Amino acid sequence: MGGDDMGQKRGGDLPLFLDERTDLRSYRRKIKEKNGATRKNHKNFSRLSSLVSRLFSIFVATMSEAINNVKQAFDAELAQTDLTNQEAVNNLRVKYLGKKGAVTDLMKQMGTLSAEERPAYGKLVNELKVAVSEAIDKAIETANQAALQKKLESGFVDTTLPGAGIPAGSTHPLYDVREEIIDFFSQMGFEVDFGRDIETDWYNFEALNTPPDHPSRDMQDTFYVDDKVMLRTHTSGTQIHYMETHKPPFRMIAPGHVFRVDNDATHAPMFQQCEGLVVDENISFADLKGVLQVFMNKLFGEGVKTRFRPSFFPFTEPSAEMDVSCVFCGGKGCRRCKGTGWMEIGGCGSVDPNVFKNCGIDSEKYTGFAFGFGLDRIAMLRHAIPEIGLLTSNDQRFLSQF
Ligand code: DAH
């Protein structure tokens, strides 16, 4: 901005520089008049602003008086209130902090104030609110304590009040299947032998006609404790223990955990199986089919069909894989049975004479059948469980459905 402009602005109609044409006297007079007017303006302005600030301080004083009055009234009432009386304390709270309470009313005034007035007023009213709230909280706590004390002193315990409640649990779906199987076979005269989780090579493989180099061992990747001791890969070893200690005729089942180095949606490193063994004179494959058909009807319902596909297990001859008609589509073919209408349940067969020989049983006199199937698989089919891992993940969301 140039000096000329500034001069022009400040002096109004006065020329900034004197020249020969300017009448010095009139110039001085004009300056005098001008200064007089400016002084007068200044005076008026400062009078006005002091008036405004006086008004503002009157406003603040009035407001702080109103706020103080509420605070004093509250303090007085609090002092009069019986602090052991929960209802009285609550009434006090409502009177000051409730929707139509005195403090709430003062807070509402904020909306009617100008932007200049609001900060000073807001500060005061906020301090009031904090002070009253703190005092009320303290009073509520005192009243609650007093009420509790009164109850305890009166020695009255209301035994009719409902307790916290313990949610009822339910049995695990695997446990249910196992109990049902034990129930079923017990009624048919089968004894139950739980066997042991750790087996030697002899019981888990060799006595079951599976020598060290037998290819069928490869199908059961195994957790070894040492060269000759392992977590059992199937419940079939219990057959051997049982035959060593019992004389035919007998019928037994052996449910229990088994372990394999397996892990995907339908295979887990630990799962449960149930073995079955019947030895007597004249036991045939027809007996096996009959028993398993009735058993499948028990598990999956009257309409379910069975089929036996030729297979191989070292400890049975002949061996078969047993399927049931798909429990989801009834055999028509669906996504779950991969369109075949059948589902695999387990292996079975007539006891191999070599196994009898290993256990000191006369294979000329006795014949028998054996079977083994997975309990997890049965539970999964019954409840349409998509992943075997869910059965052992201990997840409440899953378990509470049974
Ligand atoms: N042990 C076999 C397995 O885990 C199942 C099995 C098949 C058991 C045939 C048997 C049987 O008793 O006769 O795959």
Side-chain angles (χ1 to χ4, degrees):
M1 201 185 278
D4 275 15
D5 291 342
M6 281 180 72
Q8 224 37 56
K9 231 182 189 166
R10 246 190 257 132
D13 51 346
L14 287 175
L16 189 59
F17 301 106
L18 295 176
D19 58 32
E20 61 276 16
R21 278 170 291 142
T22 313
D23 170 354
L24 199 57
R25 216 183 274 159
S26 75
Y27 183 76
R28 280 204 188 110
R29 201 187 63 238
K30 270 187 179 170
I31 288 202
K32 227 175 169 180
E33 280 169 7
K34 193 84 196 165
N35 282 348
T38 311
R39 235 178 274 128
K40 212 165 153 194
N41 274 348
H42 275 161
K43 237 186 212 157
N44 284 345
F45 177 75
S46 60
R47 243 187 242 140
L48 195 65
S49 68
S50 80
L51 185 69
V52 168
S53 73
R54 270 185 55 213
L55 277 176
F56 189 65
S57 49
I58 289 171
F59 158 79
V60 172
T62 320
M63 283 307 181
S64 69
E65 199 181 323
I67 289 169
N68 255 337
N69 286 345
V70 171
K71 177 74 169 73
Q72 273 170 18
F74 171 76
D75 287 343
E77 264 187 82
L78 180 66
Q80 297 290 312
T81 306
D82 173 8
L83 292 185
T84 63
N85 182 338
Q86 284 173 306
E87 200 186 332
V89 170
N90 192 46
N91 288 342
L92 188 66
R93 182 189 66 79
V94 172
K95 186 165 176 189
Y96 284 87
L97 297 173
K99 256 190 194 163
K100 291 177 183 161
V103 176
T104 318
D105 266 356
L106 289 175
M107 300 286 290
K108 282 185 196 154
Q109 303 287 327
M110 288 274 271
T112 66
L113 303 181
S114 70
E116 292 81 33
E117 292 163 339
R118 220 170 279 151
Y121 179 75
K123 184 172 175 289
L124 290 174
V125 85
N126 219 31
E127 282 168 3
L128 170 74
K129 192 183 174 194
V130 169
V132 171
S133 300
E134 279 175 0
I136 288 280
D137 285 350
K138 239 191 201 162
I140 290 174
E141 179 61 28
T142 311
N144 288 349
Q145 283 296 333
L148 182 67
Q149 193 60 31
K150 217 188 268 173
K151 235 190 217 169
L152 292 175
E153 276 164 14
S154 75
F156 175 71
V157 178
D158 187 353
T159 53
T160 65
L161 280 176
I166 300 166
S170 58
T171 48
H172 193 283
L174 271 177
Y175 176 87
D176 288 343
V177 168
R178 200 183 71 168
E179 287 305 290
E180 218 172 290
I181 289 172
I182 291 175
D183 236 43
F184 173 80
F185 281 105
S186 300
Q187 285 172 35
M188 302 232 297
F190 283 63
E191 204 184 329
V192 181
D193 183 344
F194 291 101
R196 67 266 304 132
D197 287 352
I198 297 180
E199 287 286 19
T200 61
D201 194 80
W202 171 257
Y203 288 102
N204 198 73
F205 291 125
E206 281 195 58
L208 287 162
N209 208 24
T210 317
D213 53 355
H214 198 286
S216 78
R217 285 199 183 204
D218 297 348
M219 283 153 41
Q220 300 190 3
D221 266 343
T222 311
F223 293 105
Y224 282 94
V225 176
D226 65 32
D227 276 0
K228 292 283 175 200
V229 181
M230 67 204 69
L231 300 184
R232 66 176 172 188
T233 60
H234 52 181
T235 43
S236 301
T238 312
Q239 287 187 35
I240 307 299
H241 287 286
Y242 196 87
M243 286 194 273
E244 280 178 353
T245 51
H246 294 77
K247 291 222 168 307
F250 50 70
R251 311 159 189 197
M252 67 82 111
I253 55 164
H257 290 97
V258 300
F259 310 85
R260 294 182 196 177
V261 187
D262 259 347
N263 208 4
D264 61 35
T266 51
H267 298 89
M270 182 192 76
F271 59 104
Q272 292 191 51
Q273 281 189 334
C274 185
E275 195 77 13
L277 175 69
V278 173
V279 178
D280 202 344
E281 290 176 45
N282 299 319
I283 294 290
S284 72
F285 206 92
D287 296 312
L288 165 65
K289 288 176 82 171
V291 168
L292 290 186
Q293 174 67 54
V294 182
F295 178 41
M296 290 303 119
N297 289 142
K298 170 82 177 99
L299 282 182
F300 298 116
E302 283 308 316
V304 79
K305 291 194 201 75
T306 54
R307 81 172 179 187
F308 295 79
R309 278 181 292 116
S311 184
F312 174 80
F313 295 100
F315 35 93
T316 43
E317 186 59 37
S319 299
E321 206 79 62
M322 187 191 68
D323 300 336
V324 291
S325 49
C326 177
V327 299
F328 299 108
C329 66
K332 286 192 207 83
C334 67
R335 189 172 48 85
R336 287 205 171 96
C337 61
K338 300 195 179 84
T340 63
W342 293 97
M343 290 184 140
E344 194 180 312
I345 293 291
C348 55
S350 298
V351 181
D352 192 292
N354 279 342
V355 175
F356 279 145
K357 205 166 85 195
N358 288 336
C359 302
I361 289 176
D362 182 358
S363 62
E364 292 298 322
K365 187 172 178 196
Y366 294 107
T367 50
F369 67 80
F371 56 86
F373 44 80
L375 301 192
D376 300 64
R377 176 142 178 79
I378 291 172
M380 287 168 79
L381 290 178
R382 288 183 114 189
H383 302 292
I385 297 166
E387 279 198 34
I388 193 168
L390 288 166
L391 288 166
T392 45
S393 62
N394 214 14
D395 189 329
Q396 278 292 317
R397 290 168 303 179
F398 170 74
L399 292 174
S400 59
Q401 297 173 49
F402 301 98

